[in-house]
Amino acid sequence: MKANDAITGGIFLAVAILAFLYAGTFTPLPGVKYGPDLFPRLVSVLMGLGGVILIVGALRPAGRQPLLSIAQWARTPRSYLIIVAVLGSIVFYILLSDRLGFLLTAFIMLSALLIATRGISRTVSSLVISASVVVVLYLIFARLLRVPLPVGVIESLVS
Amino acid sequence: MENLLAAVELVFRADVLLTILLASVYGILVGAMPGVSATLAVAMLVPITFFMEPVVALATIATAVAMAIFSGDLPGALLRIPGVPASAAYTDEAHEMTLKGKGGTGLMISLLCSVIGGIFGTIALAVLAPTLAQFALAFRYHEYFWLAAIGLSTAALVAGNNPAKGLISLCVGLLLSTVGYDMISGSPRYTFGTVALMEGINFISVMIGVFAVAEVMRCLVHPPRGDHRVSRVQRIDIRETFRIMWKYKGQMSLGSIIGVIIGAIPGAGSDIAAWVSYGFSKKLSRTPELYGTGHPEGIVSASASNNASTSTTWVPSLVFGIPGDSVTAIVIGVLLLKGLEPGPLVFVENAPLVYSIFVSFFLANLLLIPIGYVSIKLASQILRVPNSVLMPIVLTFTIVGAFAINNSMMGVTVALFAGIVSFLMQENDYPVAPLILGMVIGPIIEQSFMQGMIAENGDLAAFFSRPLAAGLGIFTILIWLGPIITFIVRRYRANRPAAAQTN
């Protein structure tokens, strides 16, 4: 999804203004003339400048672009499915891995992703790939490198 | 010299050598996968390097990168998809050679030129870095400020077509770097009252978001369209390979030298080196009309160049702590996690460790000959791994990695947000490399700037008061003027025909 440069420029200009104003709340060290707000404020000004350049460039007659152009990929429902699957699987992992444990969460997550990318007709092989990858990851990270991955029912059974 | 011997002793241990061998195979495989850049390859290694000694960790990263920069040429030649951005400059050329049936020879040329460029770059790294470090011991905030400014400016202006977008991306990175407690005043900044943000945002998590989460989405929604016309095995003609390399030895040296110089500039790395030396070799060639038709001359120059710069990007990273590209930005993150602050003092306090990097690069480039040869032979098998299987696995792997950074879900959450934001930015042609460099260089530039402002009472002229600082400052300002001058020239050229008509 490609928005007009004036829109993205405007968003970053707004971010820059907010960052500039928020920097006013930083408490300086008494007696030091240049406080913790100086650098963030300079950066905000530069960022705002970038935003203004983009807006001006996009509004000139020579630089006219459509307000919002939908790229080729964004016209197919499959692309949205993939984006939802990728982001959803990460959210799923963040929210549920502490309760379900690493092995189960990662298995569900990877299986769902593989089914989304390879199609529902290849579910069986996706599940097999997923199970083997998750076990290898578990062995590498939990056993070999001793990362304290979230423990659930399966982990407490095998350890 | 005794440092070098100590380093050889550090590297020539069975476990280190075995790790280097494994890292080579990993680097070749991952670099050859279209969509997995050398940066992602290294980002995936980070959680594993946490558990290694510093020498082994650095040797692993150095080896994997050297391999990946070559193996990115494999899908470039066979499918016309660059495996890593550094191969993009000559992908079309290499693919044309493949269509003529000379793909094997073309890849062999690019392999051997990569090795020669890489070894040249390693020698340059081993000579330049300690010499510069001697100098850098005398540097104060003036010089650090300008060096950081050069790194940031090249990163913002060279990446992408629109300098304004590069600038914005850079500022996003700089602002992210200020989140958390301020070093000087102790005031919390941009924490929105949450405790989780007090310690700042870990840039490796952001990196995983930008290069893994966003790249996986990009790769799955815009599948790189390969050219599968050629399926037959490509023959390697060794004699022809050497004949071409000898014929274009001048181009090879020029490419290596350009690679060394560009690598040593903070903020510029191997992809820029490849483009610049490909362009230069075309300009200097006696037969520029053959470029783009499967002519090996540009490949000779550019593949020597990108491997040479792969080594020398470590120069500014190790000597000043200012990364040359996103790979070395990760390296700095790894060093800091190990309690080693990059800078001239590392060369005094930990000289054998630094020298062990040189030794690892040297070994990696030698190992590249046999491993690269095998990979050319097996290329069509390696490239058969479908993205629809690979990408979900990469994603799962990196999520575990983001968690392992400090064993908290915070890392995964940061990676998720960074992934969403950088995906949207890239869809709108905002380059993301400046964001990463901004996050790494941010603390350095802020600290040196604030020290200068407080010590000199706000006198900006003080940043030019030392001769070297003045030179670096003028260089920085010239970089800033670059896009403005191009803009004016373009305006002038656009207006001139119109003016001529009215006369």
Side-chain angles (χ1 to χ4, degrees):
Chain A
M1 196 158 336
K2 190 169 171 359
N4 186 307
D5 277 357
I7 295 178
T8 60
I11 294 174
F12 283 113
L13 178 61
V15 172
I17 293 172
L18 289 178
F20 187 89
L21 294 177
Y22 192 9
T25 65
F26 303 161
T27 33
L29 210 59
V32 181
K33 220 157 88 192
Y34 304 96
D37 59 320
L38 177 62
F39 182 74
R41 283 198 151 156
L42 281 175
V43 175
S44 312
V45 169
L46 280 178
M47 190 166 157
L49 184 74
V52 170
I53 294 177
L54 285 181
I55 295 174
V56 171
L59 293 183
R60 264 184 327 172
R64 280 277 159 79
Q65 311 158 330
L67 212 53
L68 201 69
S69 54
I70 309 289
Q72 191 60 43
W73 65 264
R75 297 205 181 113
T76 59
R78 189 179 164 272
S79 305
Y80 291 101
L81 173 73
I82 283 170
I83 291 180
V84 169
V86 169
L87 299 178
S89 63
I90 303 176
V91 173
F92 175 76
Y93 185 88
I94 294 175
L95 293 179
L96 287 175
S97 58
D98 273 335
R99 226 166 294 163
L100 301 179
F102 170 76
L103 284 171
L104 192 57
T105 325
F107 174 70
I108 296 173
M109 169 192 163
L110 184 53
S111 309
L113 273 174
L114 286 171
I115 292 170
T117 56
R118 304 173 73 221
I120 198 107
S121 56
R122 290 196 247 175
T123 303
V124 178
S125 64
S126 294
L127 293 179
V128 174
I129 297 174
S130 167
S132 16
V133 170
V134 169
V135 168
V136 170
L137 281 179
Y138 180 76
L139 290 178
I140 295 177
F141 282 97
R143 290 296 163 87
L144 201 64
L145 303 177
R146 309 219 162 273
V147 174
L149 293 174
V151 177
V153 189
I154 308 178
E155 285 85 355
S156 44
L157 281 181
V158 292
S159 59
Chain B
M1 197 63 209
E2 68 269 31
N3 285 330
L4 198 59
L5 288 176
V8 170
E9 245 171 72
L10 280 176
V11 175
F12 280 82
R13 279 175 11 208
D15 57 331
V16 184
L17 292 177
L18 182 68
T19 318
I20 289 183
L21 190 65
L22 288 175
S24 323
V25 177
Y26 167 83
I28 287 279
L29 289 177
V30 176
M33 305 295 170
V36 185
S37 60
T39 317
L40 177 52
V42 175
M44 283 172 30
L45 277 178
V46 170
I48 295 174
T49 57
F50 284 165
F51 304 93
M52 296 174 169
E53 291 168 50
V55 173
V56 191
L58 293 173
T60 307
I61 295 177
T63 313
V65 179
M67 298 287 164
I69 295 289
F70 159 70
S71 71
D73 296 356
L74 296 173
L78 298 181
L79 304 177
R80 205 174 175 208
I81 310 167
V84 297
S87 304
Y90 49 92
T91 291
D92 288 346
E93 194 86 75
H95 187 66
E96 287 298 325
M97 284 192 80
T98 306
L99 292 180
K100 285 184 182 173
K102 291 185 191 162
T105 311
L107 281 171
M108 198 62 199
I109 292 172
S110 103
L111 170 65
L112 293 179
C113 292
S114 294
V115 171
I116 292 171
I119 288 177
F120 186 76
T122 307
I123 294 171
L125 167 69
V127 174
L128 272 178
T131 322
L132 272 177
Q134 280 292 323
F135 262 108
L137 281 171
F139 281 14
R140 293 180 57 207
Y141 48 82
H142 317 79
E143 286 84 9
Y144 275 104
F145 173 75
W146 289 120
L147 282 168
I150 292 174
L152 294 177
S153 316
T154 30
L157 300 179
V158 175
N161 316 324
N162 192 336
K165 290 185 173 175
L167 176 71
I168 290 178
S169 168
L170 171 70
C171 291
V172 173
L174 288 174
L175 282 179
L176 287 176
S177 82
T178 64
V179 174
Y181 278 116
D182 172 36
M183 296 281 262
I184 298 176
S185 65
S187 162
R189 297 191 291 185
Y190 299 117
T191 56
F192 301 93
T194 53
V195 182
L197 288 174
M198 292 283 184
E199 279 175 36
I201 296 175
N202 185 310
F203 97 91
I204 296 201
S205 314
V206 175
M207 187 109 195
I208 287 177
V210 171
F211 290 103
V213 179
E215 282 306 308
V216 166
M217 286 197 278
R218 279 162 57 78
C219 205
L220 288 173
V221 299
H222 325 249
R225 242 166 269 268
D227 182 344
H228 292 271
R229 267 182 290 172
V230 190
S231 51
R232 69 196 148 110
V233 180
Q234 297 277 321
R235 209 172 57 84
I236 299 175
D237 185 340
I238 295 287
R239 190 178 277 184
E240 175 78 356
T241 304
F242 282 113
R243 196 187 61 77
I244 289 175
M245 284 172 61
W246 182 250
K247 187 171 170 196
Y248 298 122
K249 54 188 181 298
Q251 295 279 24
M252 191 163 30
S253 334
L254 182 74
S256 305
I257 292 168
I258 291 177
V260 162
I261 295 172
I262 290 185
I265 298 175
S270 51
D271 25 347
I272 297 166
W275 283 108
V276 171
S277 47
Y278 186 82
F280 250 99
S281 81
K282 187 174 179 180
K283 225 168 242 175
L284 296 178
S285 168
R286 286 198 202 109
T287 52
E289 70 280 0
L290 291 177
Y291 275 65
T293 61
H295 181 60
E297 196 173 349
I299 300 180
V300 168
S301 173
S303 52
S305 185
N306 60 18
N307 275 63
S309 66
T310 305
S311 307
T312 50
T313 41
W314 290 55
V315 172
S317 322
L318 291 171
V319 179
F320 312 117
I322 296 170
D325 58 4
S326 24
V327 168
T328 42
I330 308 183
V331 171
I332 290 181
V334 170
L335 284 172
L336 290 173
L337 285 168
K338 303 241 172 252
L340 294 163
E341 190 156 350
L345 279 179
V346 172
F347 288 78
V348 182
E349 289 161 359
N350 269 310
L353 175 70
V354 178
Y355 280 80
S356 75
I357 299 171
F358 312 155
V359 177
S360 315
F361 258 121
F362 199 78
L363 260 182
N365 277 297
L366 290 182
L367 262 180
L368 184 52
I369 303 176
I371 296 183
Y373 181 79
V374 174
S375 75
I376 297 175
K377 287 283 184 194
L378 298 178
S380 39
Q381 273 81 14
I382 298 175
L383 296 176
R384 213 172 277 161
V385 180
N387 265 333
S388 57
V389 176
L390 185 70
M391 287 297 150
I393 297 176
V394 167
L395 188 73
T396 315
F397 191 90
T398 49
I399 285 177
V400 183
F403 177 82
I405 290 169
N406 40 20
N407 296 331
S408 87
M409 219 42 102
M410 176 73 183
V412 185
T413 315
V414 169
L416 173 65
F417 279 104
I420 298 173
V421 172
S422 70
F423 176 76
L424 291 174
M425 282 173 71
Q426 279 170 291
E427 285 300 313
N428 286 292
D429 301 327
Y430 285 81
V432 287
L435 191 158
I436 293 297
L437 290 186
M439 272 198 90
V440 182
I441 304 180
I444 300 175
I445 195 162
E446 173 169 20
Q447 214 182 345
S448 56
F449 176 69
M450 292 305 290
Q451 274 177 345
M453 289 301 277
I454 292 170
E456 314 283 349
N457 227 336
D459 180 11
L460 285 174
F463 284 101
F464 294 92
S465 61
R466 290 154 57 101
L468 187 59
L472 291 170
I474 291 167
F475 184 65
T476 316
I477 291 169
L478 287 177
I479 299 178
W480 293 343
L481 291 177
I484 300 172
I485 292 171
T486 346
F487 177 75
I488 294 170
V489 169
R490 224 179 267 163
R491 258 312 198 32
Y492 176 74
R493 283 209 185 130
N495 284 341
R496 208 169 39 181
Q501 272 176 3
T502 45
N503 283 340

